[in-house]
Amino acid sequence: MTALISAYARWHHAQHDGVKVFDDTVVGRLLPHAEKQSIGENMSKGIGFFNPAFQGTNSEALRWIVDNQLAPSPLGRAAFCERHLQNTVRLGARQYLILGAGHDTFGYRQPEWAKELHIFEVDHPATAADKRRRLTSAGIAVPENVHFIPADFNDEHWLDTLAEHPAFHREKISLCSLLGLIYYLEKTCFARMIRSLAELLPRGSGIACDYPDQDSYTDRAGERAKKQAMLVGGAKEAMQASYSYAELEALLEPYGFLIYEHLTPPEITEQYFSRYNEANPAHKMAAFDNVNYCLAVRQ
């Protein structure tokens, strides 16, 4: 459900906004018209939950929900990750590992600078099968450099399938996308993932992620974060863990990953949303409450 809502938010932004935080030109094709319509109607009906004081039409309610609740996270973190992916490719990366790929569309809108990459979409078999069905229905061909890797991140040996894939090479520098994933992993599971990636990837490889801060599931959390946790819990996709900067740093460093960039919500808003907000003063967006972005590189 969360993957579907994130895809809808990226499509809505690409469809309705002239100045883009992140322009996903493909994701709308993965969502049939009836599905988009159903999601939009259901979301607009929930305005009383998201903003009890709101007054306006259903379309205005939907726009408010998308701009304030649904879109900031998937837009901001995608812009952050793909900017660093381009930089990493310039420095020699030749593999892109998208962990928890969901409805990520990078492989189907590859810019010229990505043509030498091998892209590995790593996700639960059921989610990956749904993605393949959607690609087929939309008539979107899977490029030769895109590979699907089934994985259950709770299984200690989930990386074996990736390591054994004929297109994967341990000696090649890689960037790993962990967008929207850390929330749903228990701390021991996340630590095991970092250890496994350190064992698999060479120096110079990186991890780009968003993560919930230490206040995320407490009374100190922002109102949007509290509502998000309730929404996700209702979809039976409970969030598992949160981290302070010190905790994240202490988890990464023993495995050789050093934090190269770290952004808090105000910094994310300034860096990724300011241009959009200048063009849309009536529909401003702000980075999501209690969510930080991080790029860590293995030394």
Side-chain angles (χ1 to χ4, degrees):
M1 179 59 69
T2 51
L4 185 61
I5 297 303
S6 293
Y8 176 85
R10 297 199 310 274
W11 165 76
H12 191 280
H13 178 63
Q15 181 73 15
H16 293 94
D17 296 318
V19 175
K20 307 290 193 297
V21 176
F22 176 78
D23 191 8
D24 193 329
T25 57
V26 172
V27 70
R29 297 172 62 189
L30 299 182
L31 307 176
H33 174 73
E35 191 170 36
K36 293 171 188 166
Q37 191 170 28
S38 176
I39 293 172
E41 290 174 355
N42 288 329
M43 283 296 161
S44 64
K45 290 176 183 176
I47 189 63
F49 169 74
F50 293 111
N51 184 358
F54 180 85
Q55 293 184 343
T57 66
N58 286 342
S59 61
E60 290 169 339
L62 177 61
R63 177 66 186 260
W64 190 96
I65 292 169
V66 170
D67 289 350
N68 288 275
Q69 195 75 32
L70 304 185
S73 280
L75 296 178
R77 68 195 183 199
F80 172 81
C81 184
E82 292 192 14
R83 177 173 68 85
H84 282 299
L85 175 62
Q86 184 174 9
N87 290 338
T88 306
V89 168
R90 287 179 182 143
L91 295 173
R94 291 298 177 262
Q95 296 178 147
Y96 182 34
L97 281 53
I98 310 175
L99 307 188
H103 298 321
D104 187 286
T105 64
F106 179 80
Y108 317 100
R109 49 177 173 80
Q110 298 177 42
E112 195 60 35
W113 53 261
K115 298 304 181 183
E116 295 184 18
L117 277 175
H118 277 279
I119 300 163
F120 299 88
E121 296 195 7
V122 187
D123 214 334
H124 191 279
T127 307
D130 177 65
K131 173 79 161 290
R132 297 292 293 268
R133 286 193 295 269
R134 290 175 182 273
L135 290 168
T136 300
S137 295
I140 299 174
V142 178
E144 291 184 359
N145 65 335
V146 174
H147 315 283
F148 295 91
I149 308 295
D152 180 347
F153 298 123
N154 291 308
D155 183 341
E156 290 188 29
H157 305 290
W158 67 269
L159 263 178
D160 291 351
T161 305
L162 173 64
E164 294 166 2
H165 193 282
F168 181 80
H169 297 279
R170 289 174 176 264
E171 72 277 9
K172 291 186 177 180
I173 294 174
S174 304
L175 180 70
C176 302
S177 161
L178 276 65
L179 304 185
L181 180 61
I182 295 174
Y183 309 76
Y184 304 103
L185 301 177
E186 294 182 354
K187 288 190 175 184
T188 54
C189 183
F190 180 45
R192 188 168 63 239
M193 174 181 285
I194 298 301
R195 182 193 66 202
S196 298
L197 290 172
E199 292 172 352
L200 185 69
L201 302 176
R203 293 179 179 178
S205 296
I207 293 171
C209 66
D210 57 327
Y211 74 94
D213 72 15
Q214 69 275 10
D215 293 332
S216 292
Y217 313 132
T218 72
D219 289 340
R220 297 186 298 276
E223 286 304 310
R224 289 188 298 171
K226 291 177 181 177
K227 291 184 186 298
Q228 190 78 355
M230 293 172 63
L231 192 65
V232 169
K236 299 182 180 179
E237 299 179 6
M239 296 178 177
Q240 301 288 340
S242 59
Y243 300 85
S244 66
Y245 178 91
E247 285 180 299
L248 185 68
E249 187 176 47
L251 187 153
L252 293 168
E253 282 192 357
Y255 304 111
F257 285 102
L258 300 183
I259 295 176
Y260 266 49
E261 183 173 13
H262 185 272
L263 299 177
T264 62
E267 293 167 334
I268 296 166
T269 299
E270 174 62 28
Q271 190 162 333
Y272 290 101
F273 292 87
S274 58
R275 182 170 168 267
Y276 166 84
N277 287 338
E278 288 174 5
N280 297 274
H283 300 284
K284 288 185 176 182
M285 292 191 203
F288 211 76
D289 310 333
N290 305 101
V291 174
N292 300 329
Y293 296 171
C294 174
L295 173 73
V297 178
R298 184 166 181 261
Q299 302 304 299

